[in-house]
């Protein structure tokens, strides 16, 4: 299956696939089962039965598009106009759902299978005769957003032996040279040391690879002082350090760099869509290993902000690298709003599963802005609480300003959010914990790419 790169305006040789609903004038021998396709090959037409109109919405069309992308039985040209539902599903939403769904399934992601590799070679295309300018813009926007999400998904599924911290930073720097309206700066270990990013450096101590901080900036409104900075967790592999993960809990830890991939992917799309806003991203990148002089439980390290942190769990490393990244964004990039993205806590999966992204916001305005963006992009988020009670244990260190984890075992995602809030320098702040929504059953999903892009727009 190839990605859909254009909206077709004329009938092709592929079988024309039309939607049909209960109550329509059904052709003879049509299979009346939801999402089942009946083909009339003598006419080169096929119908997909969608049942009651009331049961069809954007999400069901998107899921249908994904399924077609994986399992289409032949080449189909999809007649988009037949999927429109008056006052419920506009042609713009139909374009968006099919473009994103099919291209999600058709993405060429890292794969080194040889004889066991299976691929659907049938092709899908989208037909809309006489499209309006608005329709063409909807197609372009959907294409840019899903391409960005797929770029992040590909980084996520790449194994850690082929994507260490140095490689990830280098890949982003080289790729982003094509975007002339982005500035990209890669900070090496010496520069990170000069900045005093002691928490990031503490996590990196056990690694054979240097840490990196990648700073990406877009200035769509140079006359404004308003600037949103996205900060992404980039742990290219998380062993847990001396608090080592056991058994299957270490599997999938290549995905611990998801946050950094998500914020970089958002910048790719922002560069192409060119909103009149100022947006930057900070990728905080290292791995977390046991090797050499790795950080120990009971160590005390000094953050870039000057606050000291006692390590009571080396497997709570993500919040350490993010703390320095957030402070850098606030002080050096002059952020007026901070948004971070991280696969931060296992507690998040226990709380919300793989369905909702946990979301914390220091102001109602920040929550309303991201909530609107998420709804526009059909991504599910759930507001979680900031509360001083969640930080009480961490403030009880005898030797430092903070401990890096709350060992009470209660509300772990909330205490992690409170820890990060300590390093935002009072800037309006949104925290996104994507531990449950960045991947599902080993497959890269990478929620929140589209929401971050929508926020910038």
């Amino acid at each position: 299956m190839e990605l859909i790169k254009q909206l077709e305006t004329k009938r092709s040789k592929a079988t024309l696939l039309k939607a049909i609903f209960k109550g329509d004038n059904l052709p003879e021998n049509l299979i009346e089962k939801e999402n089942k396709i009946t083909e009339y090959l003598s006419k080169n037409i096929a119908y997909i039965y969608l049942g009651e109109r009331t049961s069809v919405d954007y999400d069901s069309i998107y899921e249908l598009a994904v399924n077609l992308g994986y399992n289409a039985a032949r080449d189909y040209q999809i007649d988009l106009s037949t999927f429109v539902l008056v006052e419920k599903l506009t042609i713009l939403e139909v374009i968006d759902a099919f473009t994103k769904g099919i291209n999600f399934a058709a993405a060429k992601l890292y794969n080194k299978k040889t004889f066991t590799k299976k691929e659907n070679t049938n092709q899908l295309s989208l037909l809309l005769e006489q499209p309006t300018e608005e329709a063409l813009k909807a197609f372009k926007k959907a294409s840019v957003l899903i391409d960005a999400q797929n770029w992040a998904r590909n980084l996520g599924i790449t194994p850690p032996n082929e994507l260490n911290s140095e490689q990830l930073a280098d890949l982003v720097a080289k790729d982003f040279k094509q975007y002339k309206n982005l500035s990209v700066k890669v900070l090496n270990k010496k520069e990170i040391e000069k900045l005093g990013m002691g928490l990031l450096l503490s996590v990196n101590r056990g690694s054979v690879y240097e840490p990196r901080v990648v700073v990406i900036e877009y200035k769509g409104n140079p006359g404004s002082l308003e600037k949103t900075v996205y900060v992404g967790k980039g742990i290219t592999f998380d062993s847990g350090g001396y608090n080592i993960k056991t058994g299957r809990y270490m599997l999938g830890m290549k995905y611990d760099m998801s946050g950094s991939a998500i914020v970089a992917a958002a910048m790719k799309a922002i560069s192409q869509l060119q909103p009149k806003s100022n947006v930057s991203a900070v990728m905080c990148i290292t791995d977390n290993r046991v090797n050499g002089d790795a950080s120990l439980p009971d160590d005390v390290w000094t953050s870039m902000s000057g606050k000291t942190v006692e390590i009571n769990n080396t497997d709570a490393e993500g919040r350490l690298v993010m703390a320095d990244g957030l402070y850098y964004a606030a002080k050096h990039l002059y952020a007026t709003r901070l948004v971070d993205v991280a696969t931060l806590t296992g507690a998040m999966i226990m709380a919300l599963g793989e369905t909702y992204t946990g979301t914390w916001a220091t102001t109602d305005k920040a929550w309303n802005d991201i909530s609107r963006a998420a709804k526009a992009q059909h991504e599910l988020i759930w507001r979680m609480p900031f509360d001083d009670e969640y930080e009480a244990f961490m403030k009880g260190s005898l030797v430092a300003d903070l401990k890096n984890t709350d060992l009470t075992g209660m509300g772990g995602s909330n205490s992690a959010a409170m820890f990060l809030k300590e390093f935002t320098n009072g800037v309006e702040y949104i925290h996104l914990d994507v531990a449950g929504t960045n991947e599902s059953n080993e497959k890269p999903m990478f929620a929140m790419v589209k929401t971050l892009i929508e926020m910038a727009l």
Side-chain angles (χ1 to χ4, degrees), residues 1 53-54 70 77-78 99 119 136 195 197 202 210 231 243 281 287 326 346 348 353 360 381 392 396 440 447:
M1 186 70 61
R53 279 179 163 78
T54 54
Y70 285 127
Q77 186 180 36
I78 300 167
T99 303
E119 189 173 347
L136 293 172
L195 285 166
M197 291 183 162
S202 76
E210 286 195 0
V231 182
N243 292 106
D287 54 30
L326 285 165
M348 191 76 265
W360 289 255
I381 64 174
S440 178

Side-chain angles (χ1 to χ4, degrees), residues 148 151 155 172 176 182 216 259-269 281 283:
W151 181 83
L155 289 180
V172 171
F176 280 35
L182 294 181
I216 309 161
S260 65
I262 287 167
V263 300
M267 297 305 293
K268 280 179 74 77
M283 304 170 69

